[in-house]
Every structure is written in structure tokens, then in C-alpha cells.
């Protein structure tokens, strides 16, 4: 049996690790008060209301506001221009799959009956599988909601109609010999 030279084995191992990293998910953990925190809403019920997230988006950094029967606290984290939140789906558990990235913009987690209420994170720059805390403000996570940005109208139909119009003009020119 031939043995593999040590330098070739090291090269093979490095290539294997590179391939595993290239195809691995971008996993991360969110925590209360981290750099992804948009803010929190108290009491934050009913859970996952887009109105709550959109109110936080409109607030100045580091401010507290009362509206819609809720108390809002906007974090000092800056994210640039924030799009409007649109409900996508809800779930339970501390592990959430964000997919390839860019699918979801905000994550709203409700900690029932606690001092915290509901935590809102900006997840527009995250992808893969993330985890969120099981406890917040001394209470257990009761559920979460993912929000996306509003759908942009499909430009494909417009381009197709433009192509048909240009083609029709070309045919008309040929028929009329202009």
C-alpha cells in the first residue's frame, strides 16, 4: 500500500475544508441588544404585527414612543434606508432558516408575558440558519414572525411589451417601405 506524502495530504485536507466552507450555510446567532436589533415593542401583542415594525422604522435612533397601545424603543443601530415591512410567515422555536439571503428583512420575536415584550431585528443582510434567544426579559419565546419588503412589480412584462412594440414598428416599416 502506498502512503500519501505529507504535503499532498495537507493540500488535500485544505481543499476539502475550502469546499466545505464554500457550501456551508451562513449561520449566526442573534441576541437581545446586538448590532442587528432594530428595537423592541412592549407588550408587543398581537404578535407579528407589521404596524409595529413599520412604526419602529419611522422612529429616530435611540428614541422611545407610545402609539397603537404599545411602547416602542428604537435602538441606536443604523441600517441605512429601511424598507417597509410586509408580513411573510410566522413560526416557533429558536432556529430559523433565512434561506439564501435577501428574502426577509425583519424578524419579530415575542417573549410572552415578560418585561421585554417583543424584540425586532433587521435580518436583511443575513442568510442561512440563525438562532434567537429562547428567553428574553425573563420569559420564554412564544413565537416569531418574518417580514419581507414589498414586492416590486415585474419588469419582465414591460420589457416583453417593449420588444413587441419595436418588432411591430419594424414590420410596419418593412410593409410600408419607409
Amino acid at each position: 500500500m502506498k502512503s500519501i506524502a505529507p504535503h499532498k495530504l495537507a493540500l488535500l485536507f485544505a481543499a476539502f475544508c475550502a469546499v466545505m466552507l464554500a457550501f456551508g450555510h451562513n449561520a449566526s446567532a442573534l441576541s437581545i441588544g446586538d448590532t442587528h436589533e432594530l428595537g423592541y415593542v412592549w407588550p408587543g401583542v398581537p404578535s407579528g404585527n407589521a404596524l409595529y415594525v413599520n412604526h419602529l422604522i419611522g422612529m429616530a435612533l435611540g428614541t422611545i414612543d407610545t402609539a397603537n397601545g404599545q411602547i416602542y424603543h428604537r435602538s441606536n443601530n443604523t441600517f441605512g434606508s429601511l424598507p417597509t415591512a410586509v408580513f411573510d410567515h410566522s413560526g416557533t422555536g429558536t432556529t430559523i432558516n433565512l434561506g439564501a439571503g435577501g428574502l426577509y428583512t425583519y424578524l419579530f420575536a415575542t417573549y410572552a408575558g415578560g418585561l421585554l415584550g417583543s424584540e425586532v431585528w433587521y435580518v436583511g443582510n443575513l442568510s442561512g440558519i440563525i438562532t434567537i434567544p429562547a428567553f428574553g426579559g425573563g420569559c420564554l419565546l412564544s413565537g416569531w414572525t418574518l417580514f419581507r419588503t414589498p414586492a416590486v412589480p415585474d419588469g419582465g412584462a414591460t420589457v416583453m411589451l417593449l420588444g413587441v412594440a419595436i418588432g411591430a414598428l419594424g414590420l410596419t416599416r418593412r410593409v410600408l417601405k419607409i
Side-chain angles (χ1 to χ4, degrees):
M1 226 169 129
K2 290 185 177 181
S3 65
I4 299 174
H7 69 282
K8 287 186 180 180
L9 185 60
L11 184 62
L12 182 64
F13 182 71
F16 175 76
C17 288
V19 168
M20 293 306 289
L21 288 174
F23 292 110
H25 285 288
N26 180 12
S28 60
L30 297 177
S31 61
I32 294 171
D34 68 4
T35 59
H36 288 277
E37 181 188 54
L38 181 64
Y40 62 86
V41 183
W42 187 83
V45 289
S47 177
N49 191 335
L51 179 69
Y52 302 158
V53 179
N54 290 324
H55 189 85
L56 278 172
I57 293 168
M59 292 175 60
L61 298 178
T63 58
I64 297 174
D65 191 17
T66 303
N68 312 310
Q70 307 290 319
I71 299 172
Y72 299 85
H73 180 268
R74 175 68 164 87
S75 74
N76 283 312
N77 298 327
T78 59
F79 303 104
S81 178
L82 293 171
T84 303
V86 175
F87 174 85
D88 192 274
H89 71 279
S90 295
T92 58
T94 59
T95 303
I96 303 163
N97 188 351
L98 296 177
L103 297 175
Y104 308 108
T105 314
Y106 308 102
L107 172 61
F108 184 100
T110 301
Y111 295 89
L115 301 173
L116 179 65
S118 297
E119 181 78 6
V120 182
W121 290 281
Y122 173 75
V123 295
N125 57 354
L126 297 178
S127 63
I129 298 172
I130 63 168
T131 58
I132 59 175
F135 290 93
C139 289
L140 187 62
L141 174 71
S142 60
W144 50 261
T145 303
L146 283 171
F147 295 91
R148 57 178 168 73
T149 58
V152 177
D154 180 26
T158 304
V159 172
M160 184 182 73
L161 288 172
L162 179 62
V164 168
I166 291 172
L169 285 173
L171 285 174
T172 303
R173 181 174 178 224
R174 185 169 261 194
V175 170
L176 297 176
K177 299 193 188 322
I178 299 175

